[in-house]
Each structure stands twice: as C-alpha cells, then as structure tokens.
Amino acid sequence: YQQNPKTYAIVKQLLAEGNAGELEKYFGSRMEFGTAGLRAAMGAGISHMNDLTIIQTTQGFCRYLEKNFSDLKKRGVVIGFDARAHLSSGGSSKRFARLAANTFISQGVPVYLFSDIIPTPFVPYTVTHLKLCAGIMVTASHNPKQDNGYKVYWENGAQIISPHDKGISQAIEENQEPWPQAWDDKLIDSSPLLHDPYAMVNKEYFKDIQKQCFYRNINKETNLKFVHTSVHGVGHKFVQLAFKAFDLSPPFAVPEQKDPDPDFPTVKYPNPEEGKGVLTLSFALAEKDGARIILANDPDADRLAVAEKQESGEWKVFSGNELGALLGWWIFTCWKNNSRDTRAIKDVYMLSSTVSSKILRAIALKEGFHFEETLTGFKWMGNRAKQLMDQGKAVLFAFEEAIGYMCCPAVLDKDGVSAAVITAEMASFLATRNLSLSQQLKAVYDEYGFHITKASYFICHDPKVIQQLFDNLRNFDGKNTYPKSCGRFKVSGIRDLTTGYDSSQPDQKAILPTSKSSQMITFTFANGGVATMRTSGTEPKIKYYSELCAPPGNSDVEQLKKELDELVNALEKHFFEPEKNKLQRKTE
C-alpha cells in the first residue's frame, strides 16, 4: 500500500538498510486497544498511530457498534480532534478524525465531525446531548508531542469499560483489510451523512455550564485578575467563552502558549501536573499584570492545575487533592445554599477514585450526603455517575488526584473548561470575604479534619521485577501472608485489588472490581494512614499514593506532615526496596 508516501518512505528506507531491529519495532506487535482506547507514537507500522492503524481500528469499532446497536444508522457517532500533528509521518489528529469519519460514512452511519479543534469533554457532551451511540476523540492529552491517541465513549456518555475494550479489540483483529475507498476522505465532504456539531455545541455547552453559576453579580464586579494558559493546546478560546458565560472579565492569556502548536515549544512536557516548570511563563505574566491566580489546562483541556500567589510573594501550586477539596466544598455549599434542586440530601452523591484523597468522605460524613470511591480512572467515575443519575440521584462532583474534575453533570468525564471557570467564581466569591484559596483550604481542613497526601513513583522497565516485588508483598512472612508492619508502622488492614482480597470485609472479599492484569495493593495503618501501591497502565512505573487523615480538631499540621514523611520513607525502604530491585526514582 503506497497510500501514505511518508510512512511508505520510512519503511522503504529501513528495508534498504536491512534494519531488522527497527522493522521489528514498527511491525512486531499491534498497538493494544484497551479501555483508554489507543495511545502511541505517530509513525509507520502497526505499533504506531498512522492512517492504516486508524482505518483498521475504526473498521473494528464500526463492526462492534453495528453488533450492539440496531439503530446505529439512525443515531450515529461523534468525532472530535485536538491540534496534534507529526510532520515526518504525515499523521495529525485532524487527518485521523477525517479517516475515521470516512470509515463510518462508508457504512451508512451518520457522523457528527467537529470542523475544528475542541476540548476532549465536548465529545462526551455531544454523545449525551444528541443521544448518539458512541464518541471518538483523537488526542494524546498531555503526552509528549510525538504521541497521539484514540479515546472512545459509549452511548451513556462515559468512557468505555470492560468488556467493550475486548470486544472492540477482537473486531479490529477481524477487520484489518482496508475497505474500498478507505483512504479517500474527500468523499465525506459531499455526503449527506456528515454533520458539523461545532456551532450547536459551542452554544449549548456554555448554556449548560451556567447552571453551575451562582454568583453572577459578584463575577461582574470582582477585581480579581486571572492568568490562563492552554499550554499550546486547544483550551484558549473555550475558557475565554466560559468566563464570558459566567460574566467574568476574560483571563489574561499567556501569549506564547495560547495558540495551538503541535511542537509544544516552550515546555519540556506539556503536562501541568509537572507543576512549576510548565507554569514559568504564567508566573511571569501574572507578575506583570498583577494577577493572583493562574489557571492551566493540559493540551486537550480536560484537566486543570491552579496556582495562587501567597502573602509571602511565593506561588503555591495546588495539588489535585487540594483543588478537589476546595471544589468539593464549594460545589456542596452552592448546592446547599442556592440550588433549586428539591432532592433530599440523602440523594446527593460525590465520587473520587480510590487513590485520591478521602476528604470528600469526611465532608460527606459530616454533612449527610453520600460519598463513593471507584477504581482509578475517570471511566469508572463516569459510568458510576450515570448509574446513580439513572436512579434519580444527584451526582454533584467527582475528582481524581491527577488534576481531573467533573463539576457539571452534562459531561460524564473530567472537564478542565468548566472546572476553570467554577474555580474562578469560587475565588471571586472568597475575595469578597477577604479569603484566598489557600486560606479557604485551611478552613476546609479545620472543619473536616486535615488530609495530607504524598504521591510519587519509581521507574522499572523489567516486568519480572515488578511481579516479584508484588509477589513478595503477598508472601511477606511465609506463604500467603501480607506484611503486619512497615518499619515502625503497624498495618491494620489490607485490600488487594489484583487478587480480590480485603481483610476489612466480613467475607474477606473486596467490593470494588478486581483486575488480575494490573497490580494494586492498599495498606491501612493503625495511625490513620493509608498507602496504595499500583502499576501504571500506560507507563513503566510503580506508583504510590499515601494519605494521613486526622479527625477535626487536630491542628498540628507540621507533626502530621512529619509522620506522613516517615511513613513514606518506611514504605519505600521496606516495600519497594529500590536498591535491591534497581528501581529508578522520580526525578524532580
């Protein structure tokens, strides 16, 4: 197939050089389609994102949808894309989205293809709003610039969960021969099956998020200034529109980063989770314009990082857990004080993932609403939220520590656009009470108990070492025994979501779903500490997350921090054993 001259030339060159090693890398194994869809580097061969692998993936997905929906040809699918592009292989998010649209249209399926770049949350929003069968977003979020991805949503507006990933994966295997005219994406432009939802969604989405706007008068008057960066991604235009929808003055945009640029020239990694490095230009602009708060989206605008200038002149970047605490407090308070929602508090829910802070649990216990934890990843929170909403419950908020927030029931996934403008309204409201975000965070902890978290990871490229490390934890003092202590810290409970064991349950069986394919063990300690160790689905990392929860009234934060630091040191020394296992530490 000489359909893409660029990838063809790459492969031809390798053949001419007789470079078997590189060819093996390109053609040795197909990208795996999982619950997160696809994520890989753009380039030639079946292990990369390119025209052919996008066509094959979409053919499989199309056949799987035909099998699951008798009305697919009536309802259709939505497809969106970000601004990623890869010169050397000719791949780009827009090209991949058009090829995917062509695949569906060739089978008589209506496609709602956005005519321009959009934030990822617009795809699940459109699935729900137009009652479509599925959605596809072509994006690699905050990955390095050579990567791209293919993210899939089901008819319920949430990301797919098992067994759909396996079903789609099998259908891709069975539909690898490109269909006639698969490459001829110009065909879609004249098709009556092609629709552009861009204008409609840009109107409806901003109307829907206004249901979360409670202090329009304060927003109009506030003299608080904000800086926004979209880190060379898609967010700029949409956050400007969100501010307008809330009657807030537009934020100052970081000029070097506001326009989409697939090279991400001003940052090493386009990931606001990395903290201060990504925010250097934002700090400079904020100092220049006298702004106290910085809002940063990742390149596909589904995550949000927030920083605030402190009295000392230092900048504080909030962790995902800290912003989760603030937004959880704010959204509950707004619901309680202003909502026209007639539902009783017993029908109100908030969710977070099992490796995120349990601060929402503490707020829920004291205020009388429900808190539930789910497995890691927004696909679980989105699907659970939909189940609860179908039962007539109100799901006010869900978050994960990886700076993902779902503040608005119209999107059942993380959304950095609505989170940014809601954070701005919260800050404007607090300013009228002479409170900063940091001061309010302390007030939340004073009222509901301090929750101090610490997370990091080790890099390990050898799956055998990872397996051995977790096997050791399961056979710590002889066969089938978990550790009873970690250094001086006594272990009071164990939940192993790889095997399904939970020492705290009467039948010793875990409530959350288990997965043998990934490692995940949570230790509870007698001092109120919790630590989870897990493998990453997308990177060669063993991650850990730890938290110390104190009851309200224990205000010695420094002592709590010291205790958590010691617990983490013990965890690293006794459970990870980095020297013995040759693990590489996260470098700041």
Side-chain angles (χ1 to χ4, degrees), residues 7-52:
T7 46
Y8 180 72
I10 295 168
V11 177
K12 217 171 133 180
Q13 176 73 27
L14 292 173
L15 281 168
E17 292 165 6
N19 191 335
E22 280 298 296
L23 283 166
E24 172 64 29
K25 249 195 264 176
Y26 286 13
F27 291 96
S29 63
R30 176 168 291 281
M31 285 179 291
E32 206 163 307
F33 190 97
T35 50
L38 299 173
R39 181 112 17 129
M42 291 178 270
I46 58 171
S47 61
H48 292 121
M49 302 278 295
N50 55 53
D51 294 1
L52 176 63

Side-chain angles (χ1 to χ4, degrees), residues 135-151:
I136 298 166
M137 178 69 191
V138 183
T139 178
S141 191
H142 53 270
N143 272 38
K145 64 182 178 187
Q146 66 274 14
D147 289 1
N148 216 325
Y150 185 105
K151 194 171 177 179

Side-chain angles (χ1 to χ4, degrees), residues 126-372:
T126 308
V127 172
T128 304
H129 195 77
L130 296 178
K131 301 185 175 55
L132 306 179
C133 294
I136 298 166
M137 178 69 191
V138 183
T139 178
S141 191
H142 53 270
N143 272 38
K145 64 182 178 187
Q146 66 274 14
D147 289 1
N148 216 325
Y150 185 105
K151 194 171 177 179
V152 172
Y153 295 85
W154 202 241
E155 66 162 339
N156 62 355
Q159 285 179 59
I160 57 163
I161 48 176
S162 191
H164 294 311
D165 55 331
K166 292 178 193 61
I168 296 166
S169 193
Q170 195 188 332
I172 295 168
E173 291 295 327
E174 292 162 4
N175 289 280
Q176 298 203 351
E177 174 73 31
W179 298 336
Q181 301 175 311
W183 264 273
D184 198 357
D185 64 302
K186 289 190 200 52
L187 292 171
I188 65 176
D189 296 318
S190 56
S191 169
L193 293 171
L194 183 75
H195 308 278
D196 178 10
Y198 191 84
M200 181 274 299
V201 172
N202 265 313
K203 197 170 89 212
E204 297 297 323
Y205 170 86
F206 293 103
K207 224 160 61 192
D208 273 341
I209 63 169
Q210 287 180 52
K211 294 175 188 143
Q212 317 303 315
C213 176
F214 295 105
Y215 293 99
R216 205 170 277 284
N217 290 339
I218 289 176
N219 297 346
K220 281 179 188 161
E221 307 285 293
T222 186
N223 46 21
L224 206 54
K225 292 178 183 168
F226 299 91
V227 157
H228 174 249
T229 177
S230 42
V231 193
H232 304 294
V234 304
H236 170 71
K237 174 182 170 178
F238 303 98
V239 169
Q240 295 279 327
L241 286 169
F243 267 64
K244 201 168 145 190
F246 273 53
D247 274 323
L248 283 153
S249 299
F252 298 108
V254 176
E256 303 90 331
Q257 296 177 334
K258 84 176 176 55
D259 297 321
D261 185 335
D263 280 328
F264 305 111
T266 65
V267 292
K268 194 173 165 194
Y269 300 106
N271 182 0
E273 256 188 295
E274 300 288 331
K276 298 201 164 164
V278 179
L279 298 177
T280 312
L281 292 169
S282 301
F283 294 140
L285 180 66
E287 297 289 356
K288 182 175 122 288
D289 286 333
R292 202 178 77 203
I293 291 171
I294 291 166
L295 304 164
N297 287 122
D298 66 342
D300 68 329
D302 64 349
R303 296 173 191 231
L304 173 74
V306 176
E308 180 183 56
K309 194 173 185 179
Q310 306 300 293
E311 297 286 304
S312 64
E314 290 281 302
W315 284 94
K316 173 181 169 62
V317 182
F318 293 94
S319 72
N321 284 324
E322 290 173 329
L323 191 57
L326 279 168
L327 284 168
W329 161 79
W330 173 250
I331 287 167
F332 176 72
T333 307
C334 289
W335 179 85
K336 198 172 65 177
N337 297 343
N338 305 300
S339 177
R340 288 173 281 294
D341 191 338
T342 53
R343 279 176 283 209
I345 194 152
K346 67 174 175 44
D347 288 328
V348 168
Y349 281 74
M350 286 195 183
L351 313 173
S352 69
S353 70
T354 178
V355 295
S356 303
S357 168
K358 296 288 164 281
I359 183 67
L360 297 183
R361 182 179 65 192
I363 299 176
L365 277 169
K366 195 165 174 182
E367 301 290 349
F369 63 90
H370 290 272
F371 165 74
E372 276 189 22

